């Protein structure tokens, strides 16, 4: 009886390991890509990890998630959302654990917490962890609560672009000209389509050649089918037309704690251009893309892609002699962004660090 | 009525640019017999962008005018100084159906007409023709060829060892500056930023790398990535407006703006023939429309690959916009190098006035 249960336990672990391995492989091969899909896949995988996990103390679960999270993130270090979701789950577990700690120890504990709060400033994290370890073992099973929490997170991921779209009418007025340069963003597409139900406006779409051009053309098709006047322009034309643009609306791959962001290549020059013309820049993003990282080294955040798309290999002679560069992303500093529209509402870039503190725990920033 | 509404939906002109004429000549079947064959062939070459670039178009036009003048015979009852101008105007009107005249073409036509008008009625036709042809030769030599050489001599020493110079698209004079600096033994590398649909920078990078220069090639979407390495930006011009605005290949303004933000000096190199008396404030009021169908291609290969927009003309609400030029404000430009010296953009009208008298 006992041996068979140990056997199924090992089976479960093996099963989980294959799931993790397949996730890692898919990340590396870019079969899962784009912040939304990566976030969703990470959350679903962590749900499995938590379901399969066994722990006697909550710290064991946290360590376990951290170990898995580190592996997941290193599969594709530039997909910051993967790490974000891991940190969100960790924060969730910690919160559940603290809630039960509080309710178990009752009012007396919170009183003593008040008294010692000044003293605890001087305590290190290590002391806190060890003190918790020495506290009596857990009585309440946290698993269902944590699983419920992750499921709520998954729901949030699924609904985030819908709730962002809900704010579109407040952002776009009748007869406005909008410029967008992130055709890979589903969030922006939904945002514009929702606004089109109530407003009539024109959208200029920068083609983002060579990496996203096909997507840009499809993006324009979808807008025009919804009755929005869509005009495709080349990337070079942005400056000449910016004076006639009411707002620039961009999607993003990741938002950083300083309020800066990573988006498709060309975004920085477009935001600079908007800034030069005093045109507001609106960035639509789900809160799951907000990363607790600071961009100390912006160059390492930018990934470079296939140079064959820039200079075709037919031109072999030229390719041999010339360095060809095809950056995939741009880092846009916070001073070029006017407002972030998130599923939690609109925020100015200078406020983003607060949202980081709300969503993540300081001790999880480094996985 | 419903027909009208449908036409509106399928009107493929972008409303902001409806004042510009985007039609291009594709053949010469309807040409009048007065049009000289040299003009016919030049018109087609310009329309197909085989002859491209402000100086190149200007030179080719002047050369064609030499042919026109050579074959010109003054009809009875009139004089050369009166009739040749008329005859040339017809050629020019035809040339305009290919593309709007460049500022250099406009300036040199104005000069040529002035020269024709002062031809004395006493000289023989043959003599007048010969002297006009010779004057055109001198004009090309002074205003373009020698001017370019002077600009190259002034600008190339401004590249020093270890520099990373950045340029956009292709300008002949910029190319000569880089080659000259290279032949002087300066160790530097060039970043060529390019854009669709002309890919003019590709030709520049080919010529520079063949000469042994170290080159980097990037499309304009990757501009921010390369701008941080640049030490100087060299730009060519189509024209410089009298209020100091630089009118050049679309994308130039982005490059200049980006450079200014990163504190990289922007140097514009052009002949004073490109200075225009006109003033202009934005790129919308005056510009040139390219063929929107050029943007349907989604591949960088030599054989075009039409993407999802191949049937865009039948789809309502969908437009493609292809304009050829943009306007760079003078505050992004550190100096303009011309054959009459280096000057700030604010001095363009000064030069125009000084040289008007000569």
């Amino acid at each position: 009886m006992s041996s068979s249960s140990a056997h199924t336990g090992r089976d479960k672990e093996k099963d989980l390991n294959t799931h993790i391995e397949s996730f890692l492989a898919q990340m590396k091969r870019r079969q899962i890509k784009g912040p939304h899909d990566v976030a969703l896949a990470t959350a679903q995988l962590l749900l499995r990890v938590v379901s399969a996990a066994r722990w006697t103390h909550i710290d064991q679960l946290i360590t376990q998630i951290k170990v898995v999270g580190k592996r997941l993130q290193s599969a594709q270090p530039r997909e910051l959302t993967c790490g974000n979701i891991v940190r969100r789950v960790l924060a969730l577990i910690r919160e559940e654990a603290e809630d039960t700690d509080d309710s178990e120890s009752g009012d007396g504990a919170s009183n003593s917490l008040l008294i010692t709060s000044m003293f605890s400033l001087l305590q290190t994290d290590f002391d806190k962890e060890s003190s918790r370890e020495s506290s009596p073992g857990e009585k309440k099973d946290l698993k269902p609560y944590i699983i419920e929490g992750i499921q709520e997170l998954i729901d949030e991921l699924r609904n985030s672009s819908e709730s962002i779209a809900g704010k579109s009418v407040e952002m776009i007025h009748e007869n406005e000209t909008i410029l967008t340069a992130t055709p890979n963003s589903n969030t922006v597409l939904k945002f514009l389509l929702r606004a089109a139900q109530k407003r009539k406006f024109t959208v200029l779409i920068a083609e983002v050649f060579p990496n996203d051009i096909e997507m840009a053309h499809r993006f324009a098709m979808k807008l025009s089918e919804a009755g929005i006047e869509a005009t495709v322009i080349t990337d070079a034309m942005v400056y000449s037309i910016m004076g006639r643009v009411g707002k620039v609306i961009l999607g993003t791959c990741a938002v950083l704690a300083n309020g800066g962001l990573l988006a498709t290549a060309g975004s920085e020059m477009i935001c600079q251009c908007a800034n030069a013309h005093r045109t507001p820049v609106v960035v639509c993003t789900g809160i799951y893309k907000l990363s607790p990282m600071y961009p100390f080294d912006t160059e390492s955040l930018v990934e470079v892609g296939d140079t064959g798309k820039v200079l075709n290999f037919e031109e072999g002679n030229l390719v041999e002699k010339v360095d060809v560069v095809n950056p995939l992303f741009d880092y846009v500093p916070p001073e070029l962004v006017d407002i972030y529209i998130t599923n939690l509402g609109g925020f100015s870039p200078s406020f983003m660090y607060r949202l980081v503190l709300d969503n993540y725990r300081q001790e999880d920033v480094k996985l | 009525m419903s027909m009208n509404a449908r036409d509106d939906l399928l009107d493929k002109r972008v409303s902001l640019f409806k004042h510009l004429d985007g039609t291009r000549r594709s053949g010469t079947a309807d040409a009048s017999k007065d049009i000289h064959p040299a003009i016919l062939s030049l018109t087609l070459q310009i329309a197909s962008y085989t002859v491209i670039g402000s100086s190149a178009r200007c030179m080719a036009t002047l050369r064609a005018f030499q042919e026109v003048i050579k074959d010109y015979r003054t009809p009875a009852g009139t004089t050369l100084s009166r009739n040749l101008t008329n005859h040339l105007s017809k050629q020019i009107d035809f040339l305009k159906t290919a593309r709007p005249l460049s500022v250099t073409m406009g300036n040199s036509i104005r000069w040529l007409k002035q020269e024709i008008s002062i031809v004395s009625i006493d000289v023989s036709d043959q003599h007048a023709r010969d002297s006009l042809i010779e004057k055109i030769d001198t004009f090309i030599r002074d205003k373009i060829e020698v001017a370019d050489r002077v600009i190259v001599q002034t600008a190339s020493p401004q590249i020093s060892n270890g520099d990373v110079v950045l340029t956009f698209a292709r300008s002949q004079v910029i190319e000569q500056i880089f080659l000259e600096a290279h032949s002087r033994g300066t160790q530097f590398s060039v970043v060529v930023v390019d854009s669709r649909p002309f890919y003019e920078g590709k030709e520049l990078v080919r010529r520079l790398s063949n000469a042994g220069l170290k080159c980097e090639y990037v499309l304009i979407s990757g501009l921010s990535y390369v701008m941080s390495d640049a030490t100087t930006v060299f730009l060519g011009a189509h024209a410089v407006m009298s209020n100091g605005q630089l009118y050049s290949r679309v994308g130039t303004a982005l490059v200049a703006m980006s450079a200014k933000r990163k504190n990289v000096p922007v140097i514009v190199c052009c002949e004073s023939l490109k200075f225009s008396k006109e003033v202009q404030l934005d790129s919308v009021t005056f510009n040139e429309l390219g063929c929107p169908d050029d943007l349907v291609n989604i591949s960088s290969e030599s054989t075009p690959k039409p993407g999802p927009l191949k049937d865009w003309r039948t789809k309502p609400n969908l437009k493609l916009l292809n304009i050829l030029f943009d306007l760079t404000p003078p505050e992004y430009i550190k100096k303009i190098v011309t054959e009459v010296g280096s000057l700030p953009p604010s001095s363009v009208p000064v030069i125009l006035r000084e040289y008007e008298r000569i």
Side-chain angles (χ1 to χ4, degrees):
Chain A
M1 178 76 191
S2 69
S3 74
S4 84
S5 85
H7 187 69
T8 54
R10 218 175 298 140
D11 261 6
K12 251 187 178 171
E13 207 166 281
K14 223 171 141 189
D15 196 37
L16 185 65
N17 240 331
T18 37
H19 274 296
I20 295 177
E21 286 300 334
S22 104
F23 177 87
L24 294 178
Q26 281 179 311
M27 282 283 274
K28 283 177 185 161
R29 289 191 212 117
R30 306 293 168 98
Q31 281 161 326
I32 314 176
K33 61 175 185 187
H36 181 261
D37 294 352
V38 169
L40 204 59
T42 314
Q44 274 157 349
L45 185 67
L46 290 179
L47 189 65
R48 280 176 193 278
V49 175
V50 173
S51 317
R54 290 146 167 257
W55 65 89
T56 50
H57 195 280
I58 199 73
D59 286 341
Q60 290 172 323
L61 178 65
I62 290 176
T63 335
Q64 215 174 322
I65 299 280
K66 270 197 171 181
V67 170
V68 174
K70 211 171 177 174
R71 275 178 74 195
L72 298 187
Q73 204 188 21
S74 57
Q76 196 42 261
R78 286 192 185 97
E79 281 287 6
L80 297 176
T81 42
C82 173
N84 296 348
I85 296 300
V86 173
R87 291 184 188 101
R88 283 284 288 274
V89 170
L90 284 170
L92 192 144
I93 296 170
R94 286 183 200 274
E95 200 171 314
E96 290 296 339
E98 281 157 22
D99 276 0
T100 50
D101 270 3
D102 284 356
S103 62
E104 269 166 27
S105 38
D107 288 343
S110 61
N111 262 341
S112 69
L113 202 74
L114 261 180
I115 295 161
T116 56
S117 66
M118 282 296 277
F119 181 68
S120 67
L121 281 176
L122 303 170
Q123 273 184 318
T124 59
D125 281 350
F126 177 76
D127 286 343
K128 253 191 249 166
E129 303 232 341
S130 64
S131 74
R132 207 188 293 151
E133 214 141 4
S134 63
S135 72
E138 286 166 33
K139 284 156 202 157
K140 200 170 140 198
D141 186 14
L142 288 178
K143 204 181 228 178
Y145 296 98
I146 296 171
I147 289 180
E148 202 189 313
I150 300 181
Q151 247 140 13
E152 274 169 21
L153 178 61
I154 293 177
D155 285 345
E156 183 200 311
L157 293 176
R158 290 217 167 102
N159 299 327
S160 94
S161 59
E162 278 304 319
S163 42
I164 294 167
K167 301 185 181 69
S168 62
V169 189
E170 297 158 32
M171 282 292 127
I172 298 173
H173 65 70
E174 191 67 18
N175 224 353
E176 191 163 16
T177 305
I178 303 287
L179 186 137
T180 181
T182 47
N184 55 352
S185 167
N186 220 2
T187 318
V188 174
L189 181 65
K190 279 191 183 156
F191 190 85
L192 295 172
L193 291 179
R194 179 74 73 85
Q197 294 172 358
K198 296 240 173 86
R199 304 268 192 273
K200 201 166 165 39
F201 56 96
T202 309
V203 180
L204 301 170
I205 301 129
E207 57 181 11
V208 202
F209 189 79
N211 298 310
D212 290 339
I213 182 155
E214 201 167 345
M215 252 183 281
H217 284 184
R218 278 215 196 91
F219 192 93
M221 287 276 271
K222 280 180 198 153
L223 292 184
S224 68
E225 279 158 13
I228 305 173
E229 195 185 310
T231 305
V232 178
I233 60 171
T234 63
D235 305 315
M237 263 175 232
V238 172
Y239 194 95
S240 54
I241 207 146
M242 189 57 89
R244 304 292 179 278
V245 172
K247 277 179 198 86
V248 174
I249 297 183
L250 296 180
T252 166
C253 310
V255 180
L256 303 164
N258 66 340
L261 66 106
L262 285 178
T264 33
S267 301
E268 194 197 357
M269 74 178 182
I270 288 167
C271 291
Q272 283 178 351
C273 192
N275 197 258
H277 288 86
R278 301 282 181 273
T279 308
V281 176
V282 178
V283 176
C284 296
T285 173
I287 217 73
Y288 65 90
K289 291 183 195 168
L290 178 62
S291 161
M293 312 297 248
Y294 278 87
F296 295 118
D297 176 16
T298 52
E299 240 167 63
S300 70
L301 290 169
V302 175
E303 194 174 331
V304 284
D306 177 10
T307 56
K309 287 181 174 176
V310 174
L311 196 62
N312 204 268
F313 294 130
E314 312 169 314
E315 318 215 30
N317 279 334
L318 201 53
V319 174
E320 234 167 61
K321 285 184 210 151
V322 177
D323 284 335
V324 183
V325 205
N326 179 15
L328 301 180
F329 303 115
D330 257 0
Y331 165 71
V332 181
E335 59 269 23
L336 297 179
V337 180
D338 287 86
I339 202 168
Y340 281 101
I341 301 293
T342 72
N343 45 327
L344 303 181
F347 300 101
S348 95
S350 57
F351 192 73
M352 296 318 267
Y353 83 99
R354 267 310 321 174
L355 296 179
V356 168
L357 296 180
D358 286 350
N359 284 285
Y360 309 106
R361 289 300 179 85
Q362 208 51 45
E363 53 265 45
D364 299 328
V365 168
K366 196 171 179 304
L367 281 178
Chain B
M1 180 65 203
S2 71
M3 199 53 193
N4 264 340
R6 220 187 118 68
D7 281 354
D8 271 358
L9 281 180
L10 289 178
D11 182 3
K12 291 302 172 190
R13 292 177 303 161
V14 176
S15 53
L16 266 180
F17 292 92
K18 271 188 182 159
H19 58 285
L20 301 175
D21 181 18
T23 50
R24 286 280 185 285
R25 170 170 294 277
S26 53
T28 53
D30 58 336
S32 116
K33 64 176 173 41
D34 289 339
I35 309 300
H36 192 278
I39 297 291
L40 290 180
S41 88
L42 178 63
T43 306
L44 290 182
Q45 282 175 320
I46 289 180
S48 62
Y49 305 114
T50 318
V51 175
I52 191 169
S54 171
S55 306
R57 270 159 73 197
C58 178
M59 279 214 297
T61 309
L62 287 172
R63 296 274 179 232
F65 285 164
Q66 283 182 323
E67 295 296 312
V68 175
I69 293 172
K70 204 164 80 188
D71 297 339
Y72 171 79
R73 296 292 176 269
T74 315
T78 180
T79 59
L80 180 137
S81 57
R82 284 198 190 148
N83 190 259
L84 180 56
T85 320
N86 260 338
H87 183 62
L88 268 185
S89 293
K90 276 183 214 151
Q91 317 292 328
I92 294 161
D93 284 341
F94 190 78
L95 210 51
K96 274 186 196 164
T97 60
R99 281 179 71 180
L101 297 184
S102 71
V103 168
T104 43
M105 282 157 85
N107 283 344
S108 32
I109 287 169
R110 204 170 308 121
W111 163 84
L112 183 60
K113 283 186 172 170
Q114 169 75 18
E115 288 297 322
I116 294 171
S117 72
I118 57 171
V119 170
S120 159
I121 46 170
D122 299 329
V123 296
S124 76
D125 249 28
Q126 178 65 42
H127 186 77
R129 282 201 300 270
D130 286 349
S131 98
L132 281 174
I133 289 170
E134 201 190 314
K135 275 181 177 160
I136 293 178
D137 272 334
T138 320
F139 186 85
I140 293 177
R141 200 190 62 213
D142 289 358
K143 293 286 183 182
I144 301 175
E145 288 168 356
V146 175
D148 279 358
R149 231 173 296 150
V150 175
I151 295 168
V152 168
Q153 293 305 322
T154 330
S156 56
Q158 300 186 15
I159 302 174
S160 20
N161 280 327
D163 271 3
V164 179
V165 296
L166 187 143
T167 187
F168 177 68
R170 173 167 181 245
S171 152
Q172 271 169 339
V173 68
I174 298 289
E175 176 188 317
Q176 286 166 33
I177 290 169
F178 292 165
L179 291 176
E180 170 71 19
H182 180 63
S183 69
R184 284 174 184 218
T186 314
Q187 298 289 320
F188 67 106
S189 65
V190 182
V191 181
V192 178
V193 182
D194 207 359
S195 76
R196 290 223 305 162
F198 289 133
Y199 298 110
E200 290 161 286
K202 212 184 265 183
E203 183 57 31
L204 175 65
V205 98
R206 181 173 290 127
R207 284 161 183 250
L208 293 181
S209 63
N210 279 342
L213 264 154
K214 193 172 171 299
C215 295
E216 194 173 355
Y217 182 78
V218 68
L219 291 171
I220 193 149
S221 56
L223 180 65
S224 322
Y225 190 80
V226 289
M227 189 54 87
S228 36
D229 300 330
T231 52
T232 320
V233 173
F234 281 87
L235 295 174
H238 175 93
V240 185
M241 296 298 161
S242 133
N243 55 339
Q245 302 259 9
L246 169 69
Y247 185 78
S248 193
R249 178 66 67 235
V250 64
T252 306
L254 276 174
V255 175
M257 174 199 67
S258 187
K260 169 83 180 172
R261 278 197 163 257
K262 296 230 158 85
N263 277 330
V264 181
V266 176
I267 300 176
V268 173
C269 302
C270 72
E271 306 87 359
S272 65
L273 183 63
K274 288 180 175 172
F275 288 0
S276 163
K277 273 184 192 155
E278 307 293 321
V279 288
Q280 198 180 333
L281 284 173
D282 61 41
S283 326
V284 181
T285 43
F286 179 76
N287 212 312
E288 191 180 332
L289 291 177
C291 178
D293 293 290
D294 289 351
L295 303 188
V296 172
N297 176 18
I298 56 163
S299 143
S300 63
E301 289 164 38
S302 49
T303 41
K305 180 178 155 203
L309 294 188
K310 62 175 186 292
D311 300 322
W312 71 284
R313 282 190 185 274
T314 62
K315 302 272 193 307
N317 292 321
L318 191 61
K319 289 172 185 178
L320 288 171
L321 176 63
N322 183 10
I323 55 173
L324 300 190
F325 296 101
D326 68 11
L327 212 59
T328 307
E331 57 264 30
Y332 296 154
I333 299 164
K334 267 272 142 66
K335 71 172 169 186
I336 304 179
V337 179
T338 72
E339 77 275 18
V340 295
S342 303
L343 39 116
S346 54
S347 298
V348 171
V350 181
I351 298 293
L352 281 172
R353 242 167 90 120
E354 284 301 311
Y355 286 80
E356 207 173 26
R357 290 195 219 119
I358 302 166

